C-alpha cells in the first residue's frame, strides 16, 4: 500500500537510493503500442543529476532495463517490469547520517515508523525513486500523444523570482533552452543567478512548477472523490519536497468575486468553450475541454552545507553540515517528474472513461 | 470508482441533491465503539444550510438514519449503512437549468461525460453530497479522540480579508462564536460585512480554511505515493469548490531559503521535537509528531444572481441569473467538511500503521 | 474491506438480517441504461423465502427501494444506492441463540473476531445479505443482455440425487417449471421427495448448482491472478454455505489423461471453436468463446430441528434444537444468487476488457 | 489489474516465460523481519523443473535476486523488489507454436484478447510465473511461523489413484520422501508408475493437491465477499491448470444430511473446539480455530507428444505434437505453489484482522 499509483494504468515502484536498484511494474498498458525506448531514456536524462552547473555534480547514468511486457517492439498488454541500477554506490561515509537526524529530512520519521531505517542516503524517501515515475510517465505520454493530448511543464518561480505573464502552451518548450527550464529568458537569467548565489552561500532555494495539459476532451475525472483536480493534487503532492498545489487561478482566485472568477460559456467552431479559464480546465472535478493548468510548489532543498543543529538517534544535541554533492535547487530537474505524474493521471482517467456510457461499450 | 475514500476505514457514498436521498456505507470501523449519535447529528447541523443570515435560506433538516453496523449502541465491525432523506424537493422550476449550462458549474461536463444529466439542481455534483462525508468524519473523530487525536478547522480568509496571525490549536474553538467561524473576532466582523455586501450585490466570495490535526504520533503516512500530505491534498481537493491546498508554510515557504525553512530537531521531555513547524507536521510524507497544519482554498460560489452569459444545451447564446436561495460564501459551512476529510485521512493512516512492524503484530 | 465485489462494476453491501434494512451501492454502471425495475423485483422474488412448501415458511416481502443513480428511467452513471427493509422483525425470542453457539453457524467466529455479535439471527452472516447481490446481478444481466450474453443456473444435485445428463443451455429455463428448479423432471421429483423427507425428519440437505454463461466473446478474464475462473470461484465461494467450485469437467476431469481432456480447436462459420468443452469455456484463465459452465456445491443447511450438542458463550455444554421456520434445502433459492454472482463477474470483466488494446481506445 | 494478489501483504508480479526475466514486488511486509534467503531459495528449488525423472528434463536454475526492501538482513517495511532471470532461453524453434493454437493452451485466447501474443512458449500464461508466488509465499511463511501458523500441502491424487485416508498434519512432511510428494508410500508408488506410464505413452495426468493450514486463531476472514474460503479459492484457482476447489468435506459433504455434516462445538483446555471438521476450519467465511483443509484439482498437462488436431492462426486445420521437454504430471511441482498461495491468503487476513476491534488498536 502506498507504492502504487493509478487504477487501470498503474505504476508500482520499489527501491532505495543506495540499494542494488530501483524499479517498477506498469500494469494496464494497452497492447499493441509501439514503444519508443529512446523517448523514455530522453525523459530520464532530463531528470538525472549532473546535468548542469546548477544541479548536483553527482552523476547517475540512469539506464532503464525492461524485463517484460514488450515483444517485437510492441506492448503485449501484460505488465511491464523494469529497473534502473544504482551505479553510484561508492563507499561513502554514512556514519554521521546513521547517527543523527537531518533537519526536514525523513530520517526521524522512518525510524519512528519502522523501528529502524536504511541510513544510506534517503533510502526509500530519496527523490531517486521518482526516476521510476518518469519511466511510466514517458510511456503514458506516448499513448496520450496518439490521442492528441500533450503535457508540458516549466519553472514558473524560483525563490522570490516569478514569471510575470501566462506562458502559452506552444511557448513552454522554450523552457528547454536554458538550465533553469523557464521559458521567460529574463526570469530564467535571474533564477540562475539566484540559484548560484544560494549555492555559494551553502544554502538552497525552492520554487514553483506550472504544468499544462492540452488537447483534453471534456468528461475526464470521476465524481466525487476522484475529481481530476483531486487526483492531480494527490499525484503532485506525492513528489518529494512538494508543499502546495493549486488549479487554475488557485489561491489568488479565491480572493476574488464570483462574478470575476466564473468562466462564461460560449461557442467556438461548434464546440462549447469558456471565455476565460479560471477553473483551470476542470469544473465539478471533470475536464471541460480547456487546458488543465496547475501550479506545484517545491520547498527549498533540505540538504544544505550551512551548519544546522539537530539531535542524534540517541537524543543528544548535535551539529550537522552536509558535505559533498547536492542540488541547490531541485525545481529544474522536477519538470519531467511533474509532467510524468500529470501523464499518469490523465491516461488513467482516459482509460477509466471508456466505460462511462452504455452506448459506447 | 470515485465514490469511495479510504483503504481500511472507507466511506462509499451515493446520492443526488434532488433525488430521494443521499447516503453511504462506512466500512472498516473497528468493532466495539460506543457510537454517539448526537455528536454525529451535531456535525451535520454545523454543515447544514439555513444556519444564519450569511448562509442560504434553504432549510434542510439533515437527519441521518442508520440501517446497520450498530447494535446495542456499539459498532459491530460490519459496514455501517446510512442515509439522509432529501426533504426539500419542492416542485422547483428546472426549465432554465435543464436547457442551459450554468457558468463554472458541472452541468456541461456531466452532459459531456454521461450523455445526459440529472438536471434537478447539481445532481451528483452538488455539495449536498458532503453531508455523507460529515457522517463518516464524525465517527472517525470519535475513534481518533480515544487516541487523543483532535481535529479543528476555521476560516482563515474570506475574499481579501485574512487572519494576520497563527491561531493556536486551543483557540480554534473560538471560531464557533461567530457566524463566519473565524476565531479572530476583528477579522470575523470584516468577513461578515464582506459577505453581506457581496450578497447584496448579487455576488459571492471565496476564502481559505485552515485545518489543524493535533496529538498525532510520528509515523503516519505511507511512502511513496500515499504520503500523508498527498492523501490529505486528495481529500481536500475532492471537496466541491476547492482550488488549492498547501501544507505547513506552503507556497510562501517555497520562496525562502533552505536555511530559513528547515525545521531543526531538538529534545523536549524525552521526545524528538522540531523548533519550528514549516513542514506542517509532515516530513518525507510521514507525520513527525508536530501539528499537521494545512490550508484549503475555496473559490467564490459559482451561483450568483448577477446576469451572466452562457450557452444552452442546443448551443445558443443565452443569459442566466440565479434565482432563489444560495450561499453568498460557502466557507463557514465548509468547516465541518474539511474537518471530516481530515479525520477520514488520519484514521485511515492510523489503521494502516497497525501492520508496519513485525514486533507490533 | 470485504463488503465490495468488482473492479469497475462494483457492489458494496451492508446490513444484518434483523437490523432496520439491508442495502448497497452499485458503482460503475454505465450511464444511459434503461432500467427495468420489474425485472429486478422478479429476481428478488425468485430468491425470497416462503415461495413454496419446500422452502421456509418465513415470508419476506423483499421490496427494493432506489435512492439514487436513476433519473427518468435511465442510469445516470453515478452510484445506485438502494435498500430493502427488514420487515419481518417480529419480537422473536433470541435468548437461546444469544447465549449459545449454533453448530456450523457463524455465531462463534463472529464473537471471536469482533468481541461480540448481533445475536438476532445470523446478523451479517445471514444469507439475507444475498438479496443485495440479486439486485446488482439483475442490473448486470440487463447490460449483458444488450451484448447478447445470457446467464442461467439450475439445480444439478440435491443430496445424493444428481441430474445424469448435461443440460443444454436452451433447456435450463425448464428449471422454473418445478419447485426444486431442476430442468430434469424425473430428477426434480426425486429431489422434491428427498427434501420433504429430510424436512419431516427435522434434517436438511445440500446440493449442487450448475451455472452456464452463454454468448461470451473470447478474451474476457485477466492474467494472472484474476483469471475468469478464479474470480468466478471467489464469487461463488462467497455465497453462504458454498463449499466447492469447479469449472468445466472439474474434479472428474482431473482424473483423466491429457489426451482425453484437451479441447481440440476447429473452425465453424469462420470462427475458432473447440470440439469439446472440458475447459468450461476458459483457457489460461481467459474465455475462449465457448459456454462457461461451472458447478457450485452447497452444504446442507446448518439449522436443523434435531437436537444437537454445543457450548454456551460461557463455555458450558448445552443442547440446541432449532425452532420455527427454516429451509430444509437452500439450493433452489440459491439459483438467482448464483446467476447474480456470475453476472457481476462477467460484466466486470467485460468492462475491464475495454482498455485491453491500443487500437480499440 | 490482475497482476496483484493481497490487500495489505501484496504481491504484484511480471514476466513472460521466455523474456529477459520474471519478477515482482512485495508490498506490506512488516519491518524488522529477519529474512532467511536460503529458505526462500529452497522453496524455489521445490518448484523448479528438472528435479526428477517424473518431471520435465528442462533445467532452470531459479536464482532469486533482491533489489530492495531488505537492509542488514532485515525487511525495512518498504517494497521488496526481486527478479529471477530466464536463463534457459535457447534458440528454440517457435515456428509451429507461432502459427498454430495448441489445444487447451492460452495461445488462442491471448491472440483474441490482445490482438497478438508473445509466442515464445506460454509467455505470460506460462506456469513459470508461479515462481514469483513462491518467493512471496516463502516470506509469508516466515512471518506466519513467528505466529505459530504452519502450512503444508501434499499430493492426494494422481489420475485415478487417491490417498484413501486423511493424512494428519504432522505426517504431511513425509511427502518430501518421494518424487510424487505423497505421504502415503503405497499410493505414492502407484502414482509414480502411473505418471511414468502416461509419459511413455506421450500422454499426461492431472491430480489433486490437499493443503492444510494449522495453528490459526479463530477470527480470520472478512464478511461477506472476502470469506477466507472465497479468497483461498480465488488464490488456488489462479494457479495454472487448476479446475476445482473445495473446502473441508467439499462436494462429497454436500450430498449428506445436515445432521451428518454439522460440526458440534465442545470445550478442550478452555477453548471452544469442534468435534468434527467438515467445515474445513471455516464457518461463515471465518476461521474457527480448527485446521483449514482444502483440495485443489489440477487438470492433466495440456502439452502432450501425442498428435492432436487444431487450427492455425490463419484458420487452417493442422496437426500438432509437442516436441522436447515437458512435465507428464505437474502436480508434485505444484506443492510449493499451493502452499505459497495459502500463505499469502493467511498472512493477508492476519494483517487485515489487526484493526477489527477498537480495544485492540
Amino acid at each position: 500500500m502506498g507504492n502504487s499509483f493509478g487504477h487501470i494504468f498503474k505504476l508500482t515502484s520499489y527501491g532505495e537510493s543506495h540499494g542494488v536498484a530501483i524499479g517498477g511494474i506498469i500494469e494496464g498498458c494497452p497492447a499493441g503500442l509501439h514503444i519508443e525506448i529512446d523517448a523514455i531514456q530522453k525523459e530520464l536524462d532530463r531528470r538525472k543529476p549532473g546535468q548542469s552547473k546548477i544541479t548536483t555534480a553527482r552523476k547517475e547514468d540512469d539506464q532503464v532495463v525492461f524485463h517484460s511486457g514488450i515483444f517485437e517492439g510492441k506492448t503485449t498488454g501484460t505488465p511491464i517490469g523494469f529497473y534502473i541500477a544504482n551505479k553510484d554506490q561508492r563507499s561513502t561515509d554514512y556514519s554521521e547520517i546513521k547517527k543523527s537526524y537531518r533537519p526536514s529530512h525523513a530520517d526521524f520519521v522512518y525510524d519512528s515508523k519502522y523501528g529502524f531505517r536504511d541510513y544510506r542516503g534517503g533510502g526509500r524517501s530519496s527523490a531517486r525513486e521518482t526516476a521510476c515515475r518518469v519511466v511510466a510517465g514517458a510511456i503514458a505520454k506516448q499513448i496520450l500523444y496518439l490521442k492528441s493530448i500533450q503535457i508540458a511543464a516549466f519553472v514558473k518561480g524560483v525563490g522570490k523570482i516569478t514569471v510575470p505573464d501566462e506562458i502559452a502552451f506552444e511557448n513552454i518548450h522554450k523552457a528547454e533552452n536554458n538550465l533553469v527550464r523557464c521559458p521567460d529568458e529574463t526570469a530564467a537569467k535571474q533564477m540562475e543567478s539566484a540559484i548560484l548565489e544560494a549555492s555559494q552561500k551553502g544554502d538552497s532555494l525552492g520554487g514553483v512548477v506550472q504544468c499544462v495539459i492540452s488537447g483534453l476532451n471534456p468528461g475526464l475525472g470521476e465524481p466525487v472523490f476522484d475529481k481530476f483536480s483531486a487526483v492531480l493534487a494527490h499525484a503532485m503532492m506525492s513528489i518529494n519536497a512538494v508543499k502546495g498545489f493549486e488549479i487554475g487561478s488557485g489561491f489568488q482566485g479565491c480572493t476574488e468575486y464570483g462574478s470575476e472568477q466564473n468562466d462564461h460559456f460560449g461557442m467556438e467552431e461548434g464546440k462549447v468553450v469558456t471565455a476565460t479559464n479560471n477553473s483551470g480546465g476542470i469544473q465539478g472535478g471533470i475536464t471541460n475541454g480547456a487546458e488543465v493548468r496547475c501550479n506545484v510548489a517545491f520547498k527549498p532543498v533540505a540538504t544544505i552545507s550551512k551548519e544546522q543543529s539537530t539531535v542524534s538517534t540517541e537524543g543528544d544535541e548535535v551539529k550537522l553540515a552536509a558535505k559533498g554533492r547536492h542540488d541547490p535547487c531541485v525545481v529544474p530537474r522536477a519538470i519531467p517528474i511533474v509532467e510524468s505524474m500529470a501523464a499518469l493521471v490523465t491516461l488513467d482517467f482516459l482509460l477509466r472513461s471508456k466505460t462511462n456510457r452504455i452506448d459506447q461499450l
Side-chain angles (χ1 to χ4, degrees), chain A residues 152-308:
Chain A
F154 64 95
V155 173
K156 186 183 157 68
V158 163
K160 303 207 189 298
I161 304 150
T162 304
V163 173
D165 307 310
E166 179 157 310
I167 307 287
F169 184 78
E170 58 272 21
N171 289 328
I172 298 179
H173 71 95
K174 294 183 186 166
E176 300 298 312
N177 296 343
N178 57 61
L179 302 180
V180 233
R181 293 210 169 97
C182 172
D184 177 319
E185 278 300 325
T186 317
K189 286 207 181 89
Q190 294 170 315
M191 290 170 179
E192 193 180 320
S193 305
I195 295 171
L196 288 173
E197 191 195 323
S199 180
Q200 280 148 16
K201 290 194 290 185
D203 217 325
S204 64
L205 281 174
V208 172
V209 170
Q210 184 161 102
C211 182
V212 188
I213 312 171
S214 165
L216 290 167
N217 281 327
L220 299 191
E222 298 290 326
V224 294
F225 293 110
D226 286 358
K227 294 183 163 77
F228 196 107
S229 38
V231 176
L232 196 59
H234 188 153
M236 297 306 172
M237 294 289 303
S238 79
I239 301 173
N240 306 49
V242 172
K243 295 187 68 184
F245 174 88
E246 56 182 5
I247 190 86
S249 60
F251 278 88
Q252 162 60 27
C254 293
T255 65
E256 303 202 345
Y257 285 108
S259 58
E260 294 169 307
Q261 283 288 307
N262 281 351
D263 295 317
H264 294 190
F265 288 113
M267 299 300 295
E268 204 174 276
E269 296 173 19
K271 281 189 173 174
V272 175
V273 296
T274 56
T276 49
N277 189 15
N278 292 313
S279 304
I282 294 168
Q283 286 162 339
I286 298 172
T287 58
N288 67 3
E291 279 176 359
V292 168
R293 202 171 270 255
C294 67
N295 291 325
V296 185
F298 289 79
K299 72 172 183 179
V301 177
T303 310
I304 57 177
S305 356
K306 282 193 174 172
E307 194 181 71
Q308 301 178 90

Side-chain angles (χ1 to χ4, degrees), chain A residues 96-97 99-109 117 125 203-204 241 299-312 316-323:
Chain A
E96 234 180 13
I97 169 172
K99 289 186 307 188
S100 50
Y101 297 131
R102 292 169 295 166
S104 287
H105 270 276
D107 306 331
F108 168 64
V109 296
R117 79 194 131 101
S125 77
D203 217 325
S204 64
K299 72 172 183 179
V301 177
T303 310
I304 57 177
S305 356
K306 282 193 174 172
E307 194 181 71
Q308 301 178 90
S309 60
T310 187
V311 297
S312 74
D316 300 320
E317 301 203 343
V318 295
K319 297 284 181 192
L320 263 186
K323 286 159 204 149

